[in-house]
Amino acid sequence: GLKANAARERQAALEAKRNADKVRAGVAKKEEYKKASEIFKKADSSYVTANIEGAFNGYKTAKETYSALYEEIKEIYLQTERYEHRF
């Protein structure tokens, strides 16, 4: 049901956060990262208070934000690496 989906979405959000941490998103995009972390914490609170739909939506939003940060920063690293290898 929805509770199981929320739990899966939480795991997916944690995985997305780990990826974002690999590219130091908390440093490179501090405000966006902080916002995603606050959404995640709020989703945890929603889950604990049995607002499962709110938790699911929060985890999903956090996952999407962390994933977008990861992709954006990874692309910057790749472009920088390509540029540096030209010389």
Side-chain angles (χ1 to χ4, degrees):
L2 190 56
K3 195 168 188 176
N5 285 341
R8 279 192 292 276
E9 201 64 27
R10 184 179 193 277
Q11 287 307 116
L14 285 172
E15 182 62 30
K17 181 184 183 301
R18 281 191 286 275
N19 286 336
D21 289 343
K22 287 178 192 173
V23 294
R24 303 187 69 210
V27 175
K29 295 280 186 175
K30 188 176 183 177
E31 287 306 309
E32 294 96 326
Y33 183 90
K34 185 177 169 188
K35 190 174 181 182
S37 297
E38 288 168 359
I39 291 168
F40 185 88
K41 286 177 192 166
K42 189 174 179 185
D44 271 347
S45 295
S46 293
Y47 193 86
V48 168
T49 60
N51 176 4
I52 305 304
E53 188 174 346
F56 176 82
N57 290 332
Y59 294 138
K60 185 173 188 276
T61 300
K63 175 191 74 178
E64 290 167 352
T65 304
Y66 286 132
S67 294
L69 287 170
Y70 172 72
E71 292 300 328
E72 181 181 348
I73 295 164
K74 184 177 80 170
E75 185 58 34
I76 291 168
Y77 282 145
L78 290 173
Q79 287 174 4
T80 302
E81 206 170 87
R82 281 195 291 267
Y83 178 78
E84 288 172 353
H85 283 93
R86 289 182 188 164
F87 299 101

